[in-house]
């Protein structure tokens, strides 16, 4: 077994992964729908919201 005693442990500070923590308000009905989709697809609520937001931002048309 390799000896790891002298090797450094590199830990990035939280938030340095390109993500930011934000707070939003969302209607109960929308949250229930998101939770249902998350359960059906085995995605976390967070993953699902990010997928939906990315799709929306990439495909929005402003008139």
């Amino acid at each position: 077994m390799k000896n790891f005693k002298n090797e450094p442990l590199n830990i990035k500070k939280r938030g340095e992964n390109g993500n930011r923590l934000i707070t939003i308000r969302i209607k109960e009905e929308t949250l229930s729908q998101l939770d249902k989709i998350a359960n059906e697809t085995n995605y976390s609520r967070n993953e699902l919201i990010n997928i939906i937001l990315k799709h929306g931002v990439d495909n929005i048309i402003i008139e």
Side-chain angles (χ1 to χ4, degrees):
M1 179 180 252
K2 186 175 177 182
N3 185 350
F4 292 101
K5 277 188 177 182
N6 295 322
E7 291 187 23
L9 175 61
N10 294 321
I11 300 175
K12 290 186 176 183
K13 291 183 182 178
R14 266 196 149 159
E16 291 187 8
N17 61 359
N19 294 321
R20 287 198 47 202
L21 177 63
I22 63 167
T23 302
I24 64 166
R25 295 177 197 268
I26 189 168
K27 299 216 179 269
E28 283 286 336
E29 180 182 340
T30 304
L31 184 59
S32 293
Q33 291 172 315
L34 284 170
D35 285 341
K36 182 180 177 195
I37 295 166
N39 286 330
E40 290 176 9
T41 61
N42 291 322
Y43 280 99
S44 70
R45 183 191 292 164
N46 182 68
E47 290 172 316
L48 183 60
I49 289 170
N50 275 286
I51 290 167
I52 293 168
L53 285 172
K54 178 71 173 137
H55 177 77
V57 169
D58 289 347
N59 294 287
I60 195 166
I61 297 172
I62 301 173
E63 297 180 351

